[in-house]
Amino acid sequence: MREPELLLLRGFRMSAFVDLLSSSKKVRQDIRFERPGEQSETENILARVVFEKSGFAPELHKGVPTLGVPMTTDTEPEFQEVFAASGPVVAGREGGLVYAVDGRHLFCTVQVTERDVYRDAARIAYDSAFELATRLGYPNILRMWNLVGGIIDDNADGMEIYRDFCSGRAEAFALWSGRILHIPAATGIGTRGDGVYLYFIAGRADADVHHLENPRQTPAYHYPESYGPKAPNFARATFAEGTLYISGTASIIGDETVHKGDIAGQVDVTLENIATLISTENLGKIRAEGGYTLRDLDLIKVYVSRAEDIPFVRSRCEEVFAPDARVVYLNVDICRPDLLVEIEAMVQ
Ligand code: 3EB
């Protein structure tokens, strides 16, 4: 189906329009975490991701693409990840895709419901999302989130669901190679529910976007076949229009999990991996202005696979992150059974 089922124009204010037209205005994607009760009005919101206990399918809620992801427990209260718009928003729904554009960015989400084997459905979900992104003129994917229920469980064929999912995703990236401009920063992580929730933000073809690897880690798209028939498609970080998006990062050196069973060791290696990734030496490959340290991280999601490790991980993180950094702790499975912690973040 090519024609949108529904088009909504929100926040059409002349001032926003003038902002959009004036090239000196900031174009970075503004993201924040909101707790219940802190809710801002719908004007100038591109999309909302609700982190809650049960999850719900992507929908247009008062014209705002909204999805609920089953990620929280009693230790982490519900919160929302809010993507602000930089101008008037056009939102729509097309097949399973729910999306919004503001002239600078596209937010798009799609759910793959629970099934025996994910490969074909994952390929189709990505394929339809890439078709929409390129047709609307946002072929520069900046950051993707892949939230995979039962990530380390087996599918009906006895293949781990993460590997099954990666196969379909890799097929879609291969199909769109050259038209979808790059492989972006991403997170691939478990949930406390079923099925797969995908969401991403994308920019215009002329957006200033650089993708980055980590010298301590094998590029994920070069992982050997022992981790699955098709390697995962993601970069370690994306630097776009002033924002650094840091992919989910774990205790992996080269392609191997290190400090198996040792949460303290895994937290330290994860933090060292991020510190190296964002260092002046590594970021210098793509920009002249120098790098960052762990104190610069914000909008941090710390995924912990064993609930009992959360107090330790929290205290270690509080030592290294800035006191005003926004941090959430989510008790979910990670894509390898031997990984105990994974951390994603941004520098805005
Ligand atoms: C890793 O380094 C940990 O499949 O999209 C991190 C970030 C991980 C993204 C993905 C997986 C993904 O391999 C896992």
Side-chain angles (χ1 to χ4, degrees), residues 146 162 166 169 186-188 217 220 223 232-234 236 247-250 252 335-336 339 342:
N146 307 280
Y162 177 60
C166 282
R169 173 174 61 175
T187 292
Q217 299 188 298
Y223 280 173
N233 294 89
F234 69 94
R236 298 295 175 184
S247 291
T249 304
I252 296 174
C335 65
R336 296 182 188 181
L339 288 174
E342 182 171 311

